[in-house]
Amino acid sequence: MLRFCFVTTGATAGFDSLVRAALSPPFLEALEKGGYTDLLIQHGTSGSRIFDEFIAADKKKTHGRHRLRISGFDFKKEGLASEMQVVKGGAGRLQGVVISHAEKGTGSILAARRMSIPIVVVPNSSLLNNHQVELAEALAAQGQVIYGCLDALPEAIRVAELQSQEQVAWPAAEENTTTMGRRLKHVMDEEMGFVDRFYVQPAVSTSLQK
């Protein structure tokens, strides 16, 4: 059966090192061992050359070549809903995994978690004055994502496999007043720069207003 790994580098800042890591032999081997058949990469403009050079060189290999189908694209204005649905599985596909950047305001993390798709979040440490590490750590602490590192992506695939059956569910809108809901809302507010529209702000009691 088909099984997809989707890697997304974001729409603004380039993340070429994630593209390289996703095309590295150890990572491709980990995907094959995990039963994956397809690798889809949203590589961005800056990552296009890296991706194209890999594909060209890969086609020339006569031995030791992986069996994965690898495809990629720059950016899609209409969003990544179709890619997320493919990774989700169903209709002859097994559930896969998403590997995402952690840009402030990212929608890929929200989309994956709402659909209960395992997601590995990889901070881009080359960016200055960003909150990617804090975001990844905060969501990992809540059991919502797997914190990934560029030099340990193969291990992240194995961890995602082990944790896929034990994921913490993303809270529904009516759960925003629970402890977990409040914690996640705080993460979204503080680290991502906006409030998840799925959260409904609880009304403030008039007895507490001055």
Side-chain angles (χ1 to χ4, degrees):
M1 296 183 71
L2 298 178
R3 194 179 196 189
F4 282 76
C5 172
F6 175 45
V7 178
T8 172
T9 64
T12 54
F15 201 173
D16 295 354
S17 53
L18 179 56
V19 178
R20 292 190 182 93
L23 294 172
S24 67
F27 183 69
L28 300 181
E29 181 180 353
L31 289 180
E32 285 193 286
K33 288 183 177 179
Y36 287 84
T37 59
D38 294 76
L39 171 60
L40 176 59
I41 302 177
Q42 180 269 311
H43 47 65
T45 302
S46 65
S48 297
R49 180 182 58 81
I50 298 170
F51 181 84
D52 292 342
E53 289 179 353
F54 171 86
I55 295 298
D58 194 53
K59 289 180 179 179
K60 296 179 181 179
K61 289 184 178 180
T62 57
H63 64 279
R65 189 173 182 272
H66 60 82
R67 296 185 298 275
L68 295 166
R69 288 185 293 267
I70 300 177
S71 56
F73 59 94
D74 182 348
F75 174 71
K76 292 176 63 176
K77 292 182 179 180
E78 62 271 26
L80 303 174
S82 59
E83 286 73 22
M84 292 293 179
Q85 191 58 55
V86 166
V87 178
K88 175 62 179 174
R93 299 186 303 271
L94 296 173
Q95 179 173 266
V97 67
V98 172
I99 298 179
S100 174
H101 62 99
E103 286 183 26
K104 190 171 184 179
T106 183
S108 56
I109 296 175
L110 293 176
R113 294 309 303 124
R114 289 173 186 151
M115 298 175 70
S116 298
I117 300 172
I119 180 167
V120 178
V121 177
V122 184
N124 186 350
S125 59
S126 67
L127 299 179
L128 298 177
N129 301 319
N130 73 88
H131 299 278
Q132 296 204 19
V133 172
E134 291 91 339
L135 171 61
E137 289 178 343
L139 290 177
Q142 298 296 322
Q144 291 292 337
V145 307
I146 297 163
Y147 188 106
C149 298
L150 290 172
D151 57 356
L153 282 189
E155 179 61 24
I157 291 296
R158 290 186 280 270
V159 173
E161 190 71 25
L162 293 173
Q163 293 187 0
S164 62
Q165 303 300 320
E166 302 177 359
Q167 287 192 98
V168 177
W170 187 265
E174 62 271 16
E175 295 176 341
N176 69 312
T177 56
T178 65
T179 299
M180 182 175 68
R182 288 194 300 271
R183 287 176 178 171
L184 286 173
K185 180 180 181 300
H186 176 74
V187 170
M188 311 309 290
D189 289 348
E190 295 297 318
E191 306 296 348
M192 299 188 75
F194 64 97
V195 180
D196 183 358
R197 65 183 179 85
F198 273 51
Y199 285 106
V200 178
Q201 187 70 22
V204 178
S205 172
T206 55
S207 64
L208 298 178
Q209 296 178 337
K210 295 182 180 180

Coordinates of all heavy atoms in Angstrom, one line a residue, residues 54-141:
F54 N 19.6 16.7 -7.1 CA 19.4 15.4 -6.5 C 18.7 14.5 -7.5 O 19.1 13.3 -7.7 CB 18.7 15.4 -5.2 CG 18.3 14.0 -4.7 CD1 19.2 13.3 -3.9 CD2 17.1 13.5 -5.0 CE1 18.9 12.0 -3.5 CE2 16.8 12.2 -4.5 CZ 17.7 11.5 -3.8
I55 N 17.6 14.9 -8.0 CA 16.8 14.1 -9.0 C 17.6 13.7 -10.2 O 17.6 12.6 -10.6 CB 15.5 14.8 -9.4 CG1 14.6 15.0 -8.2 CG2 14.8 14.1 -10.5 CD1 14.1 13.7 -7.5
A56 N 18.4 14.7 -10.7 CA 19.2 14.4 -11.9 C 20.2 13.4 -11.6 O 20.5 12.4 -12.4 CB 19.8 15.7 -12.4
A57 N 20.9 13.5 -10.5 CA 22.0 12.6 -10.1 C 21.4 11.2 -9.8 O 22.0 10.1 -10.1 CB 22.8 13.1 -8.9
D58 N 20.2 11.2 -9.1 CA 19.6 9.9 -8.7 C 19.2 9.1 -9.9 O 19.3 7.9 -9.9 CB 18.3 10.3 -7.9 CG 17.8 9.1 -7.1 OD1 18.6 8.4 -6.4 OD2 16.6 8.7 -7.3
K59 N 18.8 9.8 -11.0 CA 18.3 9.0 -12.2 C 19.5 8.3 -12.9 O 19.3 7.4 -13.6 CB 17.7 10.0 -13.2 CG 16.3 10.5 -12.7 CD 15.7 11.4 -13.7 CE 14.3 11.9 -13.3 NZ 13.7 12.8 -14.3
K60 N 20.7 8.8 -12.6 CA 21.9 8.2 -13.3 C 22.5 7.0 -12.5 O 23.3 6.3 -13.1 CB 23.0 9.3 -13.4 CG 22.6 10.5 -14.3 CD 23.7 11.5 -14.4 CE 23.3 12.7 -15.2 NZ 24.4 13.7 -15.3
K61 N 22.0 6.8 -11.3 CA 22.5 5.7 -10.5 C 22.1 4.4 -11.2 O 21.0 4.2 -11.6 CB 22.0 5.8 -9.1 CG 22.6 6.9 -8.3 CD 22.1 6.9 -6.9 CE 22.7 8.0 -6.0 NZ 22.2 8.0 -4.6
T62 N 23.1 3.5 -11.2 CA 22.8 2.1 -11.7 C 22.7 1.0 -10.7 O 22.2 -0.1 -10.9 CB 23.9 1.7 -12.7 OG1 25.2 1.8 -12.0 CG2 23.9 2.7 -13.9
H63 N 23.1 1.4 -9.4 CA 23.0 0.4 -8.4 C 22.9 1.2 -7.0 O 23.3 2.3 -6.9 CB 24.2 -0.5 -8.3 CG 25.5 0.1 -8.0 ND1 26.2 0.8 -9.0 CD2 26.2 0.3 -6.9 CE1 27.3 1.3 -8.4 NE2 27.4 1.0 -7.2
G64 N 22.4 0.5 -6.0 CA 22.3 1.1 -4.7 C 21.3 2.2 -4.7 O 21.3 3.1 -3.8
R65 N 20.3 2.2 -5.6 CA 19.3 3.3 -5.7 C 18.1 2.9 -4.8 O 17.7 1.7 -4.7 CB 18.9 3.5 -7.1 CG 18.0 4.7 -7.3 CD 17.8 4.9 -8.8 NE 17.0 6.1 -9.1 CZ 15.6 6.1 -9.1 NH1 15.0 5.0 -8.9 NH2 15.0 7.2 -9.3
H66 N 17.6 3.9 -4.2 CA 16.4 3.6 -3.3 C 15.2 3.3 -4.2 O 15.2 3.4 -5.4 CB 16.1 4.9 -2.5 CG 15.8 6.1 -3.4 ND1 14.6 6.3 -4.0 CD2 16.6 7.1 -3.8 CE1 14.6 7.4 -4.7 NE2 15.8 7.9 -4.6
R67 N 14.1 2.8 -3.6 CA 12.9 2.5 -4.3 C 11.8 3.5 -4.1 O 10.6 3.2 -4.5 CB 12.4 1.1 -3.9 CG 13.4 0.0 -4.2 CD 12.9 -1.4 -3.9 NE 12.6 -1.5 -2.5 CZ 13.5 -1.9 -1.6 NH1 14.8 -2.1 -2.0 NH2 13.2 -2.0 -0.3
L68 N 12.0 4.6 -3.5 CA 11.0 5.6 -3.2 C 10.7 6.4 -4.5 O 11.5 6.7 -5.3 CB 11.5 6.6 -2.1 CG 11.7 6.0 -0.7 CD1 12.5 7.0 0.1 CD2 10.4 5.7 -0.1
R69 N 9.4 6.8 -4.6 CA 9.0 7.8 -5.6 C 9.2 9.2 -4.9 O 8.5 9.5 -3.9 CB 7.6 7.6 -6.0 CG 7.4 6.4 -6.9 CD 6.0 6.3 -7.4 NE 5.0 6.1 -6.3 CZ 4.6 4.8 -6.0 NH1 5.1 3.8 -6.6 NH2 3.8 4.7 -5.0
I70 N 10.0 10.0 -5.5 CA 10.3 11.3 -4.9 C 9.8 12.4 -5.8 O 10.2 12.5 -7.0 CB 11.8 11.5 -4.6 CG1 12.3 10.4 -3.7 CG2 12.1 12.9 -4.1 CD1 13.8 10.5 -3.4
S71 N 9.0 13.3 -5.3 CA 8.5 14.5 -6.1 C 8.6 15.7 -5.2 O 8.7 15.6 -4.0 CB 7.1 14.2 -6.6 OG 6.2 13.9 -5.5
G72 N 8.5 16.9 -5.9 CA 8.6 18.1 -5.1 C 8.0 19.3 -5.9 O 7.7 19.2 -7.1
F73 N 7.8 20.4 -5.1 CA 7.3 21.6 -5.7 C 7.8 22.8 -4.9 O 8.2 22.6 -3.7 CB 5.7 21.6 -5.8 CG 5.1 21.4 -4.5 CD1 4.6 22.5 -3.8 CD2 4.8 20.1 -3.9 CE1 4.0 22.4 -2.5 CE2 4.2 20.0 -2.7 CZ 3.7 21.1 -2.0
D74 N 7.7 24.0 -5.5 CA 8.1 25.2 -4.8 C 7.2 25.6 -3.8 O 7.4 25.6 -2.6 CB 8.3 26.3 -5.9 CG 8.8 27.6 -5.3 OD1 8.9 27.8 -4.1 OD2 9.2 28.4 -6.1
F75 N 6.0 26.1 -4.2 CA 5.0 26.7 -3.2 C 3.6 26.6 -3.9 O 3.5 26.7 -5.1 CB 5.4 28.1 -2.9 CG 4.4 28.8 -2.1 CD1 4.2 28.5 -0.7 CD2 3.6 29.8 -2.6 CE1 3.3 29.2 0.0 CE2 2.7 30.5 -1.8 CZ 2.5 30.2 -0.5
K76 N 2.6 26.5 -3.1 CA 1.2 26.4 -3.6 C 0.4 27.5 -2.9 O 0.2 27.4 -1.6 CB 0.6 25.0 -3.3 CG 1.2 23.9 -4.2 CD 0.6 22.6 -3.8 CE -0.9 22.5 -4.2 NZ -1.4 21.2 -3.9
K77 N -0.1 28.5 -3.6 CA -0.9 29.5 -3.0 C -2.2 29.0 -2.4 O -2.7 29.6 -1.4 CB -1.2 30.6 -4.1 CG 0.0 31.3 -4.6 CD -0.5 32.4 -5.6 CE 0.7 33.2 -6.1 NZ 0.3 34.2 -7.2
E78 N -2.7 27.9 -3.0 CA -4.0 27.4 -2.4 C -3.8 26.6 -1.2 O -4.8 26.1 -0.6 CB -4.7 26.5 -3.5 CG -3.9 25.3 -3.9 CD -2.9 25.5 -5.1 OE1 -2.5 26.7 -5.2 OE2 -2.6 24.6 -5.8
G79 N -2.6 26.5 -0.7 CA -2.4 25.8 0.6 C -2.0 24.3 0.4 O -1.8 23.8 -0.8
L80 N -1.9 23.6 1.5 CA -1.4 22.2 1.5 C -2.4 21.2 1.9 O -2.1 20.1 2.3 CB -0.2 22.1 2.4 CG 1.0 23.1 2.1 CD1 2.1 23.0 3.2 CD2 1.6 22.8 0.7
A81 N -3.7 21.5 1.7 CA -4.7 20.6 2.2 C -4.7 19.2 1.5 O -4.9 18.2 2.1 CB -6.1 21.2 2.0
S82 N -4.4 19.3 0.2 CA -4.4 18.0 -0.6 C -3.3 17.1 -0.2 O -3.4 15.9 -0.1 CB -4.3 18.3 -2.1 OG -3.2 19.0 -2.4
E83 N -2.1 17.7 0.1 CA -0.9 17.0 0.6 C -1.2 16.4 1.9 O -0.9 15.2 2.2 CB 0.3 17.9 0.6 CG 0.9 18.2 -0.7 CD 0.1 19.2 -1.5 OE1 -0.7 20.0 -0.9 OE2 0.2 19.3 -2.7
M84 N -1.8 17.1 2.8 CA -2.2 16.6 4.1 C -3.1 15.4 4.0 O -3.0 14.4 4.8 CB -2.8 17.7 5.0 CG -1.8 18.8 5.4 SD -0.5 18.2 6.5 CE 0.5 19.7 6.7
Q85 N -4.1 15.5 3.1 CA -5.1 14.5 3.0 C -4.4 13.2 2.5 O -4.8 12.1 2.9 CB -6.2 14.9 2.0 CG -7.4 13.9 2.0 CD -8.0 13.8 3.3 OE1 -8.4 14.8 4.0 NE2 -8.1 12.6 3.8
V86 N -3.4 13.3 1.6 CA -2.7 12.2 1.1 C -1.9 11.5 2.2 O -1.9 10.3 2.3 CB -1.7 12.6 -0.1 CG1 -0.7 11.5 -0.4 CG2 -2.5 12.9 -1.3
V87 N -1.3 12.3 3.0 CA -0.5 11.7 4.2 C -1.5 11.1 5.2 O -1.1 10.1 5.8 CB 0.3 12.8 4.8 CG1 1.1 12.3 6.0 CG2 1.3 13.4 3.9
K88 N -2.6 11.6 5.4 CA -3.6 11.1 6.3 C -3.9 9.7 6.0 O -4.2 8.9 7.0 CB -4.9 12.0 6.3 CG -6.0 11.4 7.2 CD -5.6 11.4 8.6 CE -6.8 10.9 9.5 NZ -6.4 10.7 10.9
G89 N -4.0 9.3 4.8 CA -4.2 7.9 4.4 C -5.7 7.7 4.1 O -6.5 8.6 4.0
G90 N -6.0 6.4 3.8 CA -7.3 6.0 3.4 C -7.3 5.8 1.9 O -6.4 6.3 1.2
A91 N -8.3 5.1 1.3 CA -8.4 4.9 -0.1 C -7.1 4.2 -0.7 O -6.6 4.6 -1.7 CB -8.7 6.2 -0.9
G92 N -6.7 3.2 0.0 CA -5.5 2.4 -0.4 C -4.2 3.0 0.0 O -3.2 2.5 -0.5
R93 N -4.2 3.9 1.0 CA -3.0 4.5 1.5 C -2.9 4.3 3.0 O -3.9 4.5 3.7 CB -2.9 6.0 1.2 CG -2.9 6.3 -0.3 CD -2.6 7.8 -0.5 NE -3.6 8.6 0.2 CZ -4.8 9.0 -0.3 NH1 -5.1 8.7 -1.6 NH2 -5.6 9.8 0.4
L94 N -1.7 4.0 3.5 CA -1.5 4.0 4.9 C -1.2 5.4 5.4 O -0.7 6.3 4.7 CB -0.3 3.1 5.3 CG -0.5 1.6 4.9 CD1 0.8 0.9 5.2 CD2 -1.6 1.0 5.8
Q95 N -1.5 5.7 6.7 CA -1.2 7.0 7.3 C 0.4 7.2 7.3 O 1.1 6.3 7.6 CB -1.7 7.1 8.7 CG -1.4 8.5 9.3 CD -2.0 8.7 10.7 OE1 -3.1 9.2 10.8 NE2 -1.4 8.1 11.7
G96 N 0.8 8.4 6.9 CA 2.2 8.6 6.9 C 2.6 9.6 7.9 O 2.1 9.6 9.0
V97 N 3.6 10.5 7.6 CA 4.1 11.5 8.5 C 4.4 12.8 7.8 O 4.7 12.8 6.6 CB 5.4 10.9 9.2 CG1 6.5 10.8 8.2 CG2 5.8 11.8 10.4
V98 N 4.3 13.9 8.5 CA 4.6 15.2 8.0 C 5.9 15.7 8.8 O 6.0 15.5 10.0 CB 3.5 16.2 8.2 CG1 4.0 17.7 7.9 CG2 2.3 15.9 7.4
I99 N 6.8 16.2 8.0 CA 8.0 16.9 8.6 C 7.9 18.3 8.2 O 7.9 18.7 7.1 CB 9.3 16.2 8.1 CG1 9.3 14.7 8.5 CG2 10.5 16.9 8.7 CD1 10.5 14.0 8.1
S100 N 7.9 19.2 9.3 CA 7.6 20.6 9.0 C 8.6 21.5 9.6 O 9.3 21.2 10.7 CB 6.2 21.0 9.5 OG 6.0 22.4 9.5
H101 N 8.8 22.7 9.0 CA 9.5 23.8 9.6 C 8.7 24.3 10.8 O 7.6 23.8 11.1 CB 9.6 24.9 8.6 CG 8.3 25.4 8.2 ND1 7.7 26.6 8.7 CD2 7.4 24.9 7.3 CE1 6.5 26.8 8.1 NE2 6.3 25.8 7.3
A102 N 9.1 25.3 11.5 CA 8.4 25.9 12.6 C 8.3 27.4 12.6 O 8.5 28.1 13.5 CB 9.0 25.4 13.9
E103 N 8.1 27.9 11.3 CA 8.0 29.3 11.2 C 6.9 29.9 12.0 O 5.8 29.3 12.2 CB 7.8 29.7 9.7 CG 9.0 29.6 8.8 CD 8.7 30.0 7.4 OE1 7.8 30.9 7.2 OE2 9.3 29.5 6.5
K104 N 7.0 31.1 12.5 CA 6.0 31.8 13.3 C 4.8 32.0 12.3 O 4.9 32.5 11.2 CB 6.5 33.1 13.8 CG 5.5 33.8 14.8 CD 6.2 35.0 15.4 CE 5.3 35.6 16.5 NZ 5.9 36.8 17.1
G105 N 3.6 31.5 12.8 CA 2.4 31.7 12.1 C 2.2 30.5 11.1 O 1.3 30.5 10.3
T106 N 3.0 29.4 11.3 CA 2.8 28.3 10.3 C 1.4 27.6 10.5 O 0.9 27.5 11.6 CB 3.9 27.2 10.6 OG1 3.8 26.2 9.6 CG2 3.8 26.6 12.0
G107 N 0.9 27.2 9.3 CA -0.4 26.5 9.3 C -0.2 25.0 9.2 O -1.1 24.2 9.4
S108 N 1.0 24.5 8.8 CA 1.2 23.1 8.6 C 1.1 22.3 9.9 O 0.5 21.2 9.9 CB 2.6 22.8 7.9 OG 3.6 23.4 8.7
I109 N 1.5 22.9 11.0 CA 1.4 22.2 12.3 C 0.0 22.0 12.7 O -0.5 21.0 13.1 CB 2.2 22.9 13.4 CG1 3.7 22.9 13.0 CG2 2.0 22.2 14.7 CD1 4.6 23.7 14.0
L110 N -0.8 23.1 12.5 CA -2.2 23.1 12.9 C -3.0 22.1 12.0 O -3.8 21.3 12.5 CB -2.8 24.5 12.7 CG -2.3 25.6 13.7 CD1 -2.9 26.9 13.3 CD2 -2.6 25.2 15.1
A111 N -2.7 22.1 10.7 CA -3.4 21.3 9.8 C -3.1 19.8 10.1 O -4.1 19.0 10.1 CB -3.0 21.6 8.4
A112 N -1.9 19.5 10.4 CA -1.6 18.1 10.7 C -2.2 17.6 12.0 O -2.7 16.5 12.1 CB 0.0 17.9 10.8
R113 N -2.2 18.4 13.0 CA -2.7 18.0 14.3 C -4.2 18.0 14.3 O -4.8 17.1 14.9 CB -2.2 19.0 15.4 CG -0.7 18.9 15.6 CD -0.2 17.5 15.9 NE -0.9 16.9 17.0 CZ -1.6 15.7 16.8 NH1 -1.7 15.1 15.7 NH2 -2.2 15.2 17.9
R114 N -4.9 18.8 13.6 CA -6.3 18.8 13.5 C -6.8 17.5 12.8 O -7.8 16.9 13.1 CB -6.9 19.9 12.7 CG -6.8 21.3 13.4 CD -7.2 22.4 12.5 NE -7.1 23.7 13.1 CZ -6.8 24.8 12.5 NH1 -6.7 24.8 11.1 NH2 -6.6 25.9 13.1
M115 N -5.9 17.0 11.9 CA -6.2 15.7 11.2 C -5.6 14.5 11.8 O -5.7 13.4 11.3 CB -5.7 15.8 9.7 CG -6.4 16.9 8.9 SD -5.7 17.2 7.3 CE -6.3 15.6 6.5
S116 N -5.0 14.7 13.0 CA -4.3 13.6 13.8 C -3.3 12.9 13.0 O -3.1 11.7 13.1 CB -5.4 12.6 14.2 OG -6.3 13.2 15.1
I117 N -2.5 13.7 12.2 CA -1.4 13.2 11.5 C -0.1 13.3 12.3 O 0.2 14.4 12.8 CB -1.2 13.9 10.1 CG1 -2.5 13.7 9.3 CG2 0.0 13.4 9.4 CD1 -2.5 14.6 8.0
P118 N 0.7 12.3 12.4 CA 2.0 12.5 13.2 C 2.8 13.5 12.5 O 3.0 13.5 11.2 CB 2.6 11.1 13.1 CG 1.5 10.2 12.8 CD 0.5 10.9 12.0
I119 N 3.4 14.4 13.2 CA 4.2 15.5 12.6 C 5.5 15.7 13.4 O 5.5 15.8 14.6 CB 3.4 16.8 12.5 CG1 4.3 17.9 11.9 CG2 2.9 17.3 13.9 CD1 3.5 19.1 11.5
V120 N 6.6 15.8 12.7 CA 7.9 16.1 13.2 C 8.2 17.5 12.9 O 8.2 18.0 11.8 CB 9.0 15.2 12.6 CG1 10.4 15.5 13.1 CG2 8.7 13.7 12.8
V121 N 8.5 18.3 13.9 CA 8.8 19.8 13.8 C 10.2 20.0 13.9 O 10.8 19.7 15.0 CB 8.0 20.6 14.8 CG1 8.3 22.1 14.7 CG2 6.5 20.4 14.6
V122 N 10.8 20.6 12.9 CA 12.3 20.8 12.9 C 12.6 22.3 12.9 O 12.3 23.0 11.9 CB 12.9 20.2 11.6 CG1 14.4 20.3 11.6 CG2 12.5 18.7 11.5
P123 N 13.1 22.9 13.9 CA 13.4 24.3 14.0 C 14.6 24.6 13.0 O 15.5 23.8 12.8 CB 13.9 24.5 15.4 CG 13.3 23.4 16.2 CD 13.4 22.2 15.2
N124 N 14.5 25.8 12.4 CA 15.5 26.3 11.5 C 16.4 27.2 12.4 O 16.2 28.4 12.6 CB 14.9 27.1 10.4 CG 16.0 27.5 9.4 OD1 17.2 27.4 9.6 ND2 15.5 28.0 8.2
S125 N 17.5 26.6 12.9 CA 18.4 27.3 13.8 C 19.2 28.4 13.1 O 19.9 29.2 13.8 CB 19.3 26.3 14.5 OG 20.1 25.6 13.6
S126 N 19.2 28.5 11.8 CA 20.0 29.5 11.1 C 19.3 30.8 11.1 O 19.9 31.9 10.8 CB 20.2 29.1 9.6 OG 19.0 29.0 8.9
L127 N 18.0 30.9 11.5 CA 17.3 32.1 11.5 C 17.6 32.8 12.9 O 17.5 32.2 13.9 CB 15.8 31.9 11.3 CG 15.4 31.3 10.0 CD1 13.9 31.1 10.0 CD2 15.9 32.2 8.8
L128 N 17.8 34.1 12.8 CA 18.0 34.9 14.1 C 16.7 35.5 14.6 O 15.8 35.8 13.8 CB 19.0 36.0 13.8 CG 20.4 35.6 13.3 CD1 21.2 36.9 13.0 CD2 21.1 34.8 14.4
N129 N 16.6 35.6 15.9 CA 15.4 36.3 16.5 C 14.1 35.6 16.1 O 13.1 36.2 15.8 CB 15.4 37.8 16.1 CG 16.6 38.5 16.5 OD1 17.1 38.3 17.6 ND2 17.1 39.4 15.7
N130 N 14.1 34.3 16.1 CA 12.9 33.6 15.8 C 12.6 32.7 17.0 O 13.4 32.5 17.9 CB 13.0 32.7 14.6 CG 13.9 31.5 14.7 OD1 13.4 30.4 15.1 ND2 15.2 31.6 14.5
H131 N 11.4 32.1 17.0 CA 10.9 31.4 18.2 C 10.7 29.9 17.8 O 9.9 29.2 18.4 CB 9.6 31.9 18.7 CG 9.7 33.4 19.2 ND1 10.2 33.7 20.4 CD2 9.4 34.5 18.6 CE1 10.2 35.0 20.6 NE2 9.8 35.5 19.5
Q132 N 11.4 29.4 16.8 CA 11.1 28.1 16.3 C 11.5 27.0 17.3 O 10.8 26.0 17.4 CB 11.9 27.9 15.0 CG 11.4 28.7 13.8 CD 11.7 28.1 12.5 OE1 11.9 26.9 12.3 NE2 11.7 29.0 11.5
V133 N 12.6 27.2 18.0 CA 13.0 26.2 19.0 C 12.0 26.2 20.1 O 11.5 25.1 20.6 CB 14.4 26.5 19.6 CG1 14.7 25.6 20.7 CG2 15.4 26.4 18.5
E134 N 11.5 27.4 20.6 CA 10.6 27.5 21.7 C 9.2 26.8 21.3 O 8.6 26.1 22.1 CB 10.3 28.9 22.1 CG 11.5 29.6 22.8 CD 12.5 30.2 21.8 OE1 12.4 29.9 20.6 OE2 13.2 31.1 22.2
L135 N 8.8 27.1 20.0 CA 7.6 26.5 19.6 C 7.6 25.0 19.5 O 6.7 24.3 20.0 CB 7.2 27.0 18.2 CG 6.1 26.4 17.4 CD1 4.8 26.5 18.2 CD2 5.9 26.9 16.0
A136 N 8.7 24.4 18.9 CA 8.9 23.0 18.8 C 8.9 22.3 20.2 O 8.3 21.3 20.5 CB 10.1 22.6 18.0
E137 N 9.7 23.0 21.1 CA 9.8 22.4 22.5 C 8.5 22.5 23.2 O 8.1 21.5 23.9 CB 10.8 23.2 23.2 CG 12.3 22.9 22.8 CD 13.3 23.8 23.6 OE1 12.9 24.8 24.2 OE2 14.5 23.4 23.5
A138 N 7.7 23.6 23.1 CA 6.5 23.7 23.8 C 5.4 22.7 23.3 O 4.7 22.1 24.1 CB 5.9 25.1 23.6
L139 N 5.3 22.5 22.0 CA 4.3 21.6 21.4 C 4.7 20.1 21.7 O 3.9 19.3 21.9 CB 4.1 21.8 19.9 CG 3.4 23.1 19.6 CD1 3.4 23.3 18.1 CD2 2.0 23.2 20.2
A140 N 6.0 19.9 21.7 CA 6.5 18.5 22.0 C 6.2 18.2 23.5 O 5.9 17.1 23.8 CB 8.0 18.4 21.7
A141 N 6.4 19.2 24.3 CA 6.1 19.0 25.8 C 4.6 18.7 26.0 O 4.3 18.0 27.0 CB 6.5 20.2 26.6

